[in-house]
Amino acid sequence: MVLRARLAASLCGLAVAFASPVLAEDALPKLGPNAVPLSTDSAYLREAPAPDYWVLSPFARAQFTSSACSIAAVTAAVNGLAGLPALAEDTILSQPELLEATGLPLWAELSAEGGDGVTFDQLAEFTAAAFTAREMPYAVTTMHPSTDDAATLDALRDALAANEASADDAVLVYFNQGVVTGDWDGPHVSPIGAYDAARDRVLILEVDQDWYTPYWTPVPVLLQAMLRPAPADQGVLEGQTGGLVIIQPQG
């Protein structure tokens, strides 16, 4: 969630790279082996209906501060499930507008530049508050895994498959971004765009768009990313683990 430390490290690394060509050879690739960008592998979107992708991807916008991944992900879900506004005079809901509509000063504080970011439980709480504020009848539930075993993987696949079946629901994932991308070690939130069951992989609609575009990652890797505790340098988020926040129609 707090990405500014990585930015500072990257800028320092760039300056050192110019001074020392040897160190440039040690630069990390944009994505590690656990992530494949959608731009190089879009086969699933040509093979399957992928209803969540087409509903959510137009609204998955860049987080408006370095700590605002939660509000960016929730705004994408609210806009995607609401659909494009009917009238020409209506604008698409922005992240600051949704923060104002929910009337939660704590969420605004945590999402501001330099904010701490949210815990997993806060993500679920704030997601429910956002749909209530928009008078959208959706229920919010969670899957918060605690073990890396076959039963948990099966449950995760079942949840992803249920979400993939229609465009009537949405899923947000709270995960350690670095487990997937091979870079920054810290908690992050983004919407899930698709589940490719045949290849056992999930598409992350990244809101950290200063750094990434959507990418695929294997489901077992996503589980590992949800289970990895936030490190000590994440302050109040130290020890946080992740999971799924599931948004479904009520009734």
Side-chain angles (χ1 to χ4, degrees):
M1 301 232 182
V2 184
L3 306 182
R4 58 195 182 282
R6 184 179 61 188
L7 176 59
S10 298
L11 293 173
C12 292
L14 182 62
V16 173
F18 280 116
S20 176
V22 174
L23 292 180
E25 298 176 3
D26 299 326
L28 293 173
K30 171 53 73 177
L31 292 171
N34 291 328
V36 175
L38 177 63
S39 58
T40 65
D41 188 348
S42 59
Y44 180 73
L45 300 182
R46 297 191 298 271
E47 300 166 355
D52 292 310
Y53 175 79
W54 299 111
V55 165
L56 295 177
S57 62
F59 301 104
R61 307 285 180 84
Q63 57 192 71
F64 80 107
T65 75
S66 63
S67 301
C69 57
S70 65
I71 181 61
V74 175
T75 304
V78 167
N79 280 327
L81 292 172
L84 193 68
L87 302 179
E89 64 189 21
D90 295 332
T91 60
I92 295 171
L93 182 71
S94 70
Q95 296 166 47
E97 287 170 341
L98 184 56
L99 277 176
E100 182 177 357
T102 59
L104 296 173
L106 178 59
W107 197 9
E109 176 186 339
L110 296 173
S111 301
E113 190 62 49
D116 290 323
V118 303
T119 66
F120 178 75
D121 288 343
Q122 286 171 332
L123 175 63
E125 175 190 347
F126 296 158
T127 300
F131 278 87
T132 298
R134 297 294 291 176
E135 299 182 344
M136 296 173 65
Y138 285 81
V140 175
T141 58
T142 62
M143 176 185 179
H144 196 181
S146 59
T147 56
D148 186 357
D149 54 30
T152 304
L153 266 176
D154 287 345
L156 176 56
R157 291 180 178 118
D158 287 347
L160 294 170
N163 179 61
E164 184 69 6
S166 80
D168 296 333
D169 49 13
V171 172
L172 311 180
V173 59
Y174 188 114
F175 66 111
N176 183 292
Q177 191 183 54
V179 171
V180 176
T181 65
D183 189 11
W184 182 72
D185 181 16
H188 184 54
V189 182
S190 279
I192 286 180
Y195 170 52
D196 181 354
R199 299 176 180 88
D200 198 30
R201 62 183 185 169
V202 62
L203 179 65
I204 307 297
L205 293 179
E206 258 295 353
V207 298
D208 186 12
Q209 293 175 12
D210 283 346
W211 295 90
Y212 301 113
T213 59
Y215 48 73
W216 297 99
T217 195
V219 174
V221 171
L222 185 66
L223 177 57
Q224 293 168 13
M226 292 190 293
L227 291 171
R228 180 174 174 81
D233 64 5
Q234 292 305 297
V236 298
L237 297 182
E238 179 182 0
Q240 278 291 309
T241 59
L244 303 181
V245 171
I246 302 166
I247 306 159
Q248 297 172 308
Q250 292 179 354

